[in-house]
Amino acid sequence: MPSRQSCADRRSRKVPLCTYAALCTYFALCTLHFPLLLAASQAPQVTDAAVYLVAYVEVMPSSTSEAVTLLRQYAKTSRGDAGHVRLETLQQRGRPDHFAVLEVWSDQKALDAHQAAAHSKQFREKLQRLQVSPYDERPHKGFDLGMVSNAAAAGALYVVTHADAVPTGKDDAAGYLKGLAEASRKESSNVRFEILQQNSRLNHFTVVEVWKEQKAHDAHIVGAHTRQFRDNFQRTSGALYDERLYTAID
């Protein structure tokens, strides 16, 4: 058993400053990275089997409010379905009777079950009465997704773009889009930048962007990498670069 003297000696010893510095650094790093680790653990688990849907909806101007209510209810109910990863309903800026629905499902089986559900069928039936054109739904696969995230601040700007390349220019177009995505994700106000590839036409892509605010997107548009992309993509384009701005409605 140690003597009182030896115990006192140990208590009186000073901990080296380097040890204090190491401990402080350790706890500082834990504090800094814990929110990031928590966010990563809560991020949706998306695999190569995931199915991405992009749908465009146009309703009668007089039915805009009713359509918003239907879309909100559809999103709320669908998020409880098995295999749901993400579902966002958007209203186009400047054309409030135009909407987009962005859905991600874990796999085709989950999507099939969701679309066969009673609430999905009821949504389509009720919405059909308000539409001025058919429900334009386009299945995609993820092409270049970056960090998968559901986060989007209130008031965020969504940009959904249909990018159509001529068949012979598909590979070049894909490279240009990938380069744009990589550069754009480095911008401080970018929340999400995803490139999706249409299942039925591999030369057709959809670009989904989320920006913290309008002015962030305005700055992005005039950036050197964006202007260079537009010049390059024009050489492979099979149609106008159809960019539409939206706000989330739920």
Side-chain angles (χ1 to χ4, degrees):
M1 181 174 180
S3 66
R4 290 186 178 181
Q5 181 62 39
S6 61
C7 290
D9 288 344
R10 279 199 294 270
R11 285 197 298 269
S12 65
R13 289 173 189 163
K14 294 183 178 180
V15 178
L17 289 176
C18 61
T19 303
Y20 278 121
L23 288 171
C24 289
T25 301
Y26 172 77
F27 286 115
L29 289 172
C30 288
T31 302
L32 175 65
H33 290 291
F34 179 74
L36 299 177
L37 293 171
L38 179 61
S41 68
Q42 295 175 340
Q45 299 302 308
V46 180
T47 68
D48 291 341
V51 181
Y52 296 77
L53 297 182
V54 179
Y56 300 97
V57 181
E58 181 182 358
V59 302
M60 295 178 288
S62 59
S63 300
T64 298
S65 295
E66 188 176 353
V68 168
T69 300
L70 279 175
L71 287 163
R72 280 182 174 149
Q73 183 59 48
Y74 171 68
K76 180 180 179 180
T77 306
S78 298
R79 289 175 185 138
D81 289 350
H84 160 265
V85 177
R86 186 171 69 220
L87 197 155
E88 295 162 304
T89 53
L90 314 175
Q91 187 170 28
Q92 190 170 349
R93 296 189 178 187
R95 295 201 296 176
D97 52 335
H98 288 65
F99 303 89
V101 182
L102 308 178
E103 304 184 38
V104 186
W105 296 90
S106 59
D107 53 34
Q108 187 63 48
K109 182 179 179 181
L111 173 60
D112 291 343
H114 159 71
Q115 292 186 329
H119 72 85
S120 295
K121 293 180 178 179
Q122 290 170 5
F123 163 71
R124 292 291 187 94
E125 290 170 0
K126 292 179 180 179
L127 188 64
Q128 188 174 20
R129 296 185 289 101
L130 313 180
Q131 294 172 203
V132 296
S133 59
Y135 192 86
D136 183 8
E137 184 177 80
R138 307 174 188 182
H140 294 69
K141 61 182 178 181
F143 178 74
D144 190 301
L145 303 175
M147 181 179 291
V148 178
S149 171
N150 283 349
L157 171 70
Y158 285 74
V159 184
V160 182
T161 305
H162 177 70
D164 176 2
V166 295
T168 55
K170 172 179 68 69
D171 293 339
D172 286 340
Y176 297 145
L177 287 164
K178 184 181 285 286
L180 174 68
E182 290 173 354
S184 300
R185 291 180 192 127
K186 297 176 183 177
E187 297 182 52
S188 60
S189 293
N190 179 253
V191 177
R192 189 192 313 157
F193 207 106
E194 298 177 337
I195 310 295
L196 310 178
Q197 188 172 34
Q198 201 165 321
N199 290 349
S200 59
R201 293 178 290 183
L202 298 181
N203 58 315
H204 287 221
F205 301 86
T206 296
V207 183
V208 179
E209 310 168 43
V210 185
W211 299 89
K212 291 180 180 178
E213 54 190 354
Q214 176 75 54
K215 68 179 182 180
H217 178 254
D218 294 343
H220 163 74
I221 288 296
V222 299
H225 63 275
T226 305
R227 290 185 284 113
Q228 183 63 57
F229 161 77
R230 295 290 181 93
D231 289 342
N232 290 337
F233 193 82
Q234 181 63 33
R235 296 196 289 269
T236 66
S237 179
L240 291 175
Y241 192 74
D242 186 9
E243 182 179 81
R244 306 177 189 183
L245 310 185
Y246 296 88
T247 301
I249 63 173
D250 67 308

